[in-house]
Amino acid sequence: DWERSAILGLQSHMGEFAKEGLRTLVLGIRILSEQETTDWLAEYKSASTSIKGRDEKLTTAAENIEKKLHIVGATAIEDKLQDGVPGTISMLGKAGIKLWVLTGDKRETAKEIGYATKVLTEKMRPGMVEVAAGSEFEVRTKMAMEFLKLVKYAKLPEYQKASIGGDEDAKFFETMLFKLRKLNRRINRIFREFYHRYIKIVFLYFFFVIPTTDPELEKIQKEKAEEEGLIMVTERRRGVRNRAEQIVNDYLNSDVGQANRSPRKRRVDGVAFSNRDLQMHGDAQPDVFSRAQSARMVLDERRNQGSIIGSDVRNLTLANVTAHDIDKGLIVDEDILSMRSHLPSDGEDGKADYDKMKRTLLERLFAVDKAVRHGRLVKHMTKEKLASIIEVAQPPTEEELQVDTGLPPGLEGPRALVIEGHALERLLGDAQLEELLFAVANTCDSVIACRVSPAQKAQLVQLVRRYVVPEPVTLAIGDGANDVGMIQEAHVGVGISGKEGQQAVNASDFAIAQFKFLQELVLIHGRWNFMRQSEVVLFSFYKNAVMAGLLITYTGRTLYSGTPLFDQWVIAMLNFVAGMPITALGFFDRSLDKKYIKRHPEVYGPTRRNELFTKRTVMRWVALAFVHIFTLYYFTVPVIVGGGGISTAWVGLMYNESIERPGDGEGGDLKSVGLLCFTCLILLLSYKVIFQHRSIILGKWPSFTCREDKGEGFVNRTAYTWIANAYFSIAFYLFGIYVYQIVGRPGASEFSPFVETTWHVFHTRTTTWMLFIFVPIAGMVFDVSAKVFSNLFYPSQTQIHSEIFAKGREDMPQIPETTPLFPESV
């Protein structure tokens, strides 16, 4: 009796501790004799000094000592959450970032923490999938059944038989049409390959042309590889679907499956209990934290029947007997298996809420933002959806709440997956089961893996990187040594420096002091840095493309002799002179204010979807480069070279008395024209950088002060935008060319052709200054006009938010969270 009561009390207390979200620890003791101690120390020493199989021998030694323990008691400590953790997780979720929690805590503690941190919500409770530790047969069957249920209800349409080619009821005509198209592509490739490999090569031999590689053959091989890749993906998905069906069928044909097909009562160690007997009383407490009460109820029932013994108490563990487990129903639902798969519906991802006819032709062709291109803004919504948003303040009626969607309760709202490490052992390591696990997890809004080892944490990160196409950017954050593997496996690792040591920090890319700082690290500074880097990379290619384009365009005038338009030493200044302004942008530019980003975390969406560095964005810069090349060249070179550059300068053609320098005022020579065109290029690039700035740093005057009432300091009062453009770009360029013109004065050298060129161009020609003013402005007119046109007719979400912020309308009424202002694009 004492043993039974002690075990019951221990289990009851541990259940209550877990219910409160505490971390529990069971303490045990084993008294060893001197001989046992000596033998084990010898075994441990031999294992620790072993060269082969050291880890396995150490594990065996640990198992030999960690048994036959006498339970002393249990402790529970409060692992209090840091400030701001729930808010940070909520903000990351609103930004569209999927969250997976990988922890070593027991299931109840992990779930309680999940609710406390808003990883789990009350809306997820009907759709929560729990996979506890169990036999390999049970774990795999439960995951396979959940997978097939999602496939049947069109939550995983890519695994339906209509998609993987295994639907026997599919239309015969559609199947034959697909096969004919596939055969046509194959025959087309065969004829093309035969022509380029055998027929074309014969004609080339007659002209003594022996090509090393043929781009057409490479193109054919690429098409073949892409089609084979699609076939491999289809075959892989078909194999996963077949494996899931096989697991479920094996379970149904087993003795366990036959016994559990239609049970009305469950039996635990020979005692029958109905679901009603073990049902929780009241709705205030979720069944997730009912392990202690379940153990008490079962033991009380056995005590009344007089059938309780010590071995039953030991076997009655809280992990196996809970009210939730007893009332969870069948592992395999044969009704779902026998039903026909649902067709994917547009309404499931919100497509039915938008009218495709409201999209304009410009949005379809030129919009960079996917949400704009696919017509997923508020202005594209149907009248019915807009009306429902307007009436959202009114509570729904009972009839509206009881609308039948055709889906079971667990699939209607947000879903969550809670899985234990012992269950993961049954799934990881098998490619098909890993894909099955990820398919189920990917349909969930939140995933919590509890009781996982450090190696399993790293494996789950690998799972995401392997099966998400295209591969996403993964971020892992942890504070202990057990998180090192996960941090190193992710693309970005963040370590929290705290009381658990510095191992996570030493292995990470970024280190923060508290979890709440992740919000600013990712949503604010991460977004700013991504936009800065995108602008810097695109501008760097753009400025070099414009300069190279001017050289190429000029070659037509020199009969393609290779004579450059610009002096070689002037060209060498381009990367520094034009690079300093964009470098300042890369350091200091900010898109939207911190407070606005925190109020509207959805602005992180375009950054997460990499919409600032897409093909459409690059093509915009390429088109702009061509426009600026032709503007700079045809507005400068033809105007000057034809002899129309003679002017009276400021007070006459060098006062009409220059004998030593005849021809001053003429501007048709190569060095003068090149310098004029290059100066217009530098001014245009400077204007372009200022126009690309989303936050121009004006600074405060005076920038350097020691007064007490102006204590920001020099660093915070400097006008970085104007210093970079005026001083390091334009002023340094002028200083460089004025110095360069006098370098060749001492005698004949490679610098001699540029002697006095700067003075001649800048001091004797009013036409030069007219072109300095109007040519860069003419180039910017095209850029500004294109930007204004795009912002008017197909603006991006970032531009819309920028206008809202600029007009001071950030406090405008918000559309409910269920229908965000800028929903996710497909």
Side-chain angles (χ1 to χ4, degrees), residues 398-544:
E398 186 176 353
E399 291 77 9
E400 292 174 344
L401 292 174
Q402 295 178 354
V403 174
D404 186 11
T405 60
L407 296 175
L411 296 179
E412 287 182 346
R415 305 178 71 251
L417 173 65
V418 181
I419 185 169
E420 293 189 0
H422 291 293
L424 286 174
E425 291 180 358
R426 315 297 187 186
L427 302 171
L428 298 178
D430 189 310
Q432 290 182 337
L433 294 179
E434 285 182 350
E435 184 172 354
L436 186 148
L437 169 64
F438 177 77
V440 175
N442 197 40
T443 61
C444 298
D445 299 270
S446 298
V447 176
I448 295 181
C450 49
R451 288 295 189 189
V452 291
S453 64
Q456 288 176 332
K457 292 182 179 181
Q459 286 178 316
L460 289 174
V461 176
Q462 293 175 359
L463 208 65
V464 175
R465 297 184 59 176
R466 184 182 306 125
Y467 292 109
V468 177
V469 180
E471 183 178 346
V473 177
T474 55
L475 182 147
I477 180 170
D479 61 353
N482 56 346
D483 300 317
V484 170
M486 172 182 66
I487 290 174
Q488 292 179 337
E489 186 63 35
H491 292 93
V492 181
V494 180
I496 301 177
S497 58
K499 297 180 179 180
E500 297 197 23
Q502 298 295 315
Q503 291 90 339
V505 171
N506 295 335
S508 63
D509 303 304
F510 299 92
I512 57 179
Q514 295 184 33
F515 184 86
K516 65 180 180 181
F517 297 151
L518 183 67
Q519 178 180 338
E520 292 197 0
L521 177 65
V522 175
L523 300 185
I524 296 176
H525 296 287
R527 180 177 177 274
W528 284 347
N529 287 335
F530 180 76
M531 289 189 167
R532 293 166 182 166
Q533 290 179 9
S534 299
E535 296 288 352
V536 169
V537 171
L538 291 171
F539 185 87
S540 299
F541 281 103
Y542 153 81
K543 68 177 177 62
N544 287 285

Side-chain angles (χ1 to χ4, degrees), residues 365-384:
L365 295 179
F366 302 111
V368 175
D369 199 312
K370 288 185 179 180
V372 179
R373 188 163 65 249
H374 293 290
R376 305 303 293 274
L377 299 182
V378 173
K379 68 177 184 178
H380 301 123
M381 287 183 176
T382 60
K383 295 181 179 179
E384 295 78 9

Side-chain angles (χ1 to χ4, degrees), residues 767-779:
T767 307
T768 297
W769 291 95
M770 292 174 61
L771 295 177
F772 284 166
I773 295 173
F774 291 109
V775 172
I777 293 177

Side-chain angles (χ1 to χ4, degrees), residues 128-188:
M128 186 178 297
V129 180
E130 295 187 57
V131 184
S135 65
E136 180 177 296
F137 204 25
E138 293 177 352
V139 171
R140 292 185 175 184
T141 302
K142 185 167 185 177
M143 290 302 301
M145 186 62 219
E146 186 66 25
F147 171 81
L148 292 176
K149 181 172 70 173
L150 293 171
V151 172
K152 291 289 186 178
Y153 284 104
K155 295 296 183 179
L156 293 172
E158 64 272 17
Y159 291 93
Q160 290 185 344
K161 291 185 177 180
S163 300
I164 60 179
D167 191 357
E168 298 178 356
D169 299 330
K171 294 182 180 180
F172 177 77
F173 176 76
E174 293 181 357
T175 305
M176 289 300 300
L177 187 62
F178 172 78
K179 292 182 178 180
L180 288 175
R181 288 175 179 173
K182 181 179 176 181
L183 180 62
N184 179 49
R185 291 192 297 269
R186 184 175 180 180
I187 294 175
N188 181 270

Side-chain angles (χ1 to χ4, degrees), residues 47 53 120 126 129 190 225 234 250 256 311 594 601 619 682 734 815 824:
L120 302 177
V129 180
I190 291 175
T234 303
D250 292 343
V256 178
S311 59
K594 282 186 178 182
M619 291 306 300
I682 295 299
L734 294 175
I815 290 178
E824 284 291 320

Side-chain angles (χ1 to χ4, degrees), residues 304-374:
N304 294 333
Q305 294 181 0
S307 59
I308 186 169
I309 57 177
S311 59
D312 289 335
V313 176
R314 298 188 187 94
N315 295 330
L316 188 58
T317 61
L318 292 173
N320 296 326
V321 181
T322 68
H324 178 69
D325 290 333
I326 294 178
D327 196 36
K328 67 184 177 181
L330 300 175
I331 296 180
V332 175
D333 191 339
E334 296 183 74
D335 294 336
I336 293 179
L337 294 176
S338 61
M339 65 179 286
R340 186 177 180 84
S341 298
H342 288 201
L343 293 176
S345 173
D346 290 343
E348 292 183 6
D349 54 13
K351 289 183 180 180
D353 297 334
Y354 301 91
D355 187 357
K356 294 182 179 180
M357 301 304 296
K358 291 187 177 182
R359 286 188 302 166
T360 64
L361 181 62
L362 294 175
E363 289 175 341
R364 300 179 187 180
L365 295 179
F366 302 111
V368 175
D369 199 312
K370 288 185 179 180
V372 179
R373 188 163 65 249
H374 293 290

